[in-house]
Amino acid sequence: MTVDSTDIERRQFLTGTAAVLGGLGAGVAAIPFVSTFQPSERAKAIGAPVEANIDQIEPGQRVTYKWRGKPVWIIRRTEEQLAALEQMRDILADPDSASSVQPEFAENSWRSLNQEYLVLVGICTHLGCSPSFRPLAGDVVMGADSVGGFYCPCHGSKFDLSGRVYAGVPAPTNMDVPPYKFLNESRILIGELAEGEGA
Ligand code: FES
């Protein structure tokens, strides 16, 4: 798992915490993906579900897991970011996610089971680059009215904090939402839907 945050002090705190807890220090930051109680690498490569912890994610922060060889982001959105999702409709190509790869539960502005936590495949739907996380309001790349989103540096596609693509950019669809379910309040299983959830 990797962690991204806009708050440098918080990042330093988290890094320090990791060092105390695991004795791993800077090595934690250098390892792109960390496995804990996970299936074998071979099993994951062919699609085994992956468990993710969400109880340490701060508002405005992103963590990354690996599922089927792809980065899967979990982003804990702030109240301000959630409130802004409905106001994005006019600049989005598919605000209701009618033409996207996702479970049925994602056909709404927050595209997630729990509005606070967005779970997203971190790959641009144009040609597969990895967009950058731009969580700050008024980000110079995302625009003055933005409360954050994702920017693909390859050809300039932009996505909001639900992974919905802006109109008029090269990416044709919203970013994919993988199947997942909550195991409890603090753990998500990526790669599997809850019983009764449509795909
Ligand atoms: S790969 Fe992202 S815009 Fe082209």
Side-chain angles (χ1 to χ4, degrees):
M1 180 189 77
T2 56
V3 179
D4 300 289
S5 172
T6 57
D7 184 330
I8 292 172
E9 287 184 5
R10 183 181 302 139
R11 189 181 305 163
Q12 289 170 334
F13 168 78
L14 289 171
T15 303
T17 303
V20 170
L21 291 178
L24 298 174
V28 170
I31 299 171
F33 301 104
V34 176
S35 299
T36 55
F37 307 110
Q38 302 286 14
S40 69
E41 287 304 318
R42 186 165 183 276
K44 283 192 289 185
I46 60 175
V50 173
E51 278 191 34
N53 268 320
I54 61 171
D55 55 353
Q56 300 293 316
I57 308 174
E58 299 287 340
Q61 194 176 54
R62 173 183 70 170
V63 300
T64 303
Y65 283 82
K66 189 176 181 183
W67 171 67
R68 292 188 175 178
K70 304 173 186 174
V72 172
W73 299 337
I74 303 174
I75 292 127
R76 185 175 175 186
R77 294 172 287 206
T78 65
E79 287 184 16
E80 181 193 14
Q81 290 168 339
L82 279 170
L85 292 177
E86 270 303 312
Q87 298 159 19
M88 303 292 294
R89 300 186 68 87
D90 291 349
I91 61 170
L92 299 174
D94 183 13
D96 296 315
S97 300
S99 308
S100 301
V101 175
Q102 59 187 17
E104 284 180 2
F105 63 70
E107 292 176 7
N108 46 57
S109 59
W110 54 92
R111 302 185 78 211
S112 59
L113 284 171
N114 176 322
Q115 292 191 17
E116 208 171 342
Y117 294 95
L118 173 67
V119 182
L120 204 60
V121 176
I123 295 175
C124 179
T125 54
H126 181 218
L127 294 176
C129 291
S130 186
S132 60
F133 181 38
R134 318 284 301 198
L136 297 180
D139 179 87
V140 65
V141 171
M142 297 301 296
D145 295 334
S146 166
V147 292
F150 310 103
Y151 174 73
C152 183
C154 291
H155 311 94
S157 290
K158 297 178 183 177
F159 305 85
D160 76 352
L161 280 174
S162 283
R164 296 178 297 179
V165 67
Y166 283 33
V169 300
T173 61
N174 297 341
M175 294 171 73
D176 296 354
V177 175
Y180 70 91
K181 65 180 181 182
F182 277 82
L183 298 173
N184 55 42
E185 283 187 358
S186 62
R187 294 186 78 77
I188 287 174
L189 188 65
I190 300 165
E192 199 170 291
L193 291 171
E195 205 168 320
E197 286 282 1

